[in-house]
Amino acid sequence: MEIINTEKIILASGSPRRKELMQTAGLVFDIIPADIDESSIPFNGDPGAYVQNLSARKAEAIAMNHPNAWTVGADTIVVADNTILGKPRDKNDAVAMLTALSGRNHSVFTGFSVIRPAGDISFTQSVETIVTFKPLSREEILWYAGTQEPYDKAGGYGIQGIGSFMVQEIAGSYSNVVGLPVCELIQTLAQLRVIQF
């Protein structure tokens, strides 16, 4: 039996990957992307707290106009050596990121928040997944940087696409690396009685 929403859900993200993950999990929802200035939120050295803060800001921005709905906000970052690797600006940036990630571990953090103003309900959590890249040759890095895949993704790669060839091992949630920890989100929505099985 598919998951059935008992109440309205809004995804405050335009990410096609988050949309697909939530649809695959059986959720029915509207999409209203949040437009916030992420540069105004400083990184305090705690990646988990940072993505929770960003996801909450995104959810709040949409929830304030939809107080009776359950708004889901999310944010994903890639962290190596306590440095956040965002989306590559250009091919040189992508090559530098992939070179830095080659043959070693990095962390992917996703924060997600569920907010319903009418009930004064707010929940936020972050999930960490450790990803290990195989050692990459210069040719592999240049070839992958020449595809279109790295440029709209944190860390410059997509685990669910061509970039899967670089991933040797993961420890933790796979969907978290794609952009949303589905297991934890569904558990939260069930506990809040937003969905029923």
Side-chain angles (χ1 to χ4, degrees), residues 4-5 17 24 37 62-63 66 89 97 106 111 138 146 188:
I4 300 171
N5 295 36
R17 294 168 291 280
T24 302
D37 179 12
I62 301 304
H66 303 273
R89 296 180 300 275
M97 284 187 187
H106 63 272
R138 180 74 176 168
T188 298

Side-chain angles (χ1 to χ4, degrees), residues 117-194:
D120 195 26
I121 297 170
S122 178
F123 176 90
T124 186
Q125 182 180 346
S126 65
V127 176
E128 179 184 8
T129 302
I130 308 297
V131 180
T132 305
F133 269 22
K134 72 170 191 167
L136 299 170
S137 69
R138 180 74 176 168
E139 291 75 19
E140 287 173 317
I141 290 171
L142 290 172
W143 175 81
Y144 184 64
T147 72
Q148 290 305 305
E149 193 170 89
Y151 300 99
D152 68 335
K153 296 172 181 67
Y157 75 96
I159 194 173
Q160 75 285 3
I162 302 166
S164 62
F165 85 92
M166 300 182 290
V167 178
Q168 192 169 61
E169 184 179 345
I170 71 168
S173 167
Y174 169 82
S175 67
N176 186 57
V177 183
V178 179
L180 194 66
V182 173
C183 175
E184 289 82 359
L185 174 63
I186 294 299
Q187 182 177 356
T188 298
L189 294 176
Q191 289 172 345
L192 294 171
R193 301 188 182 278
V194 182

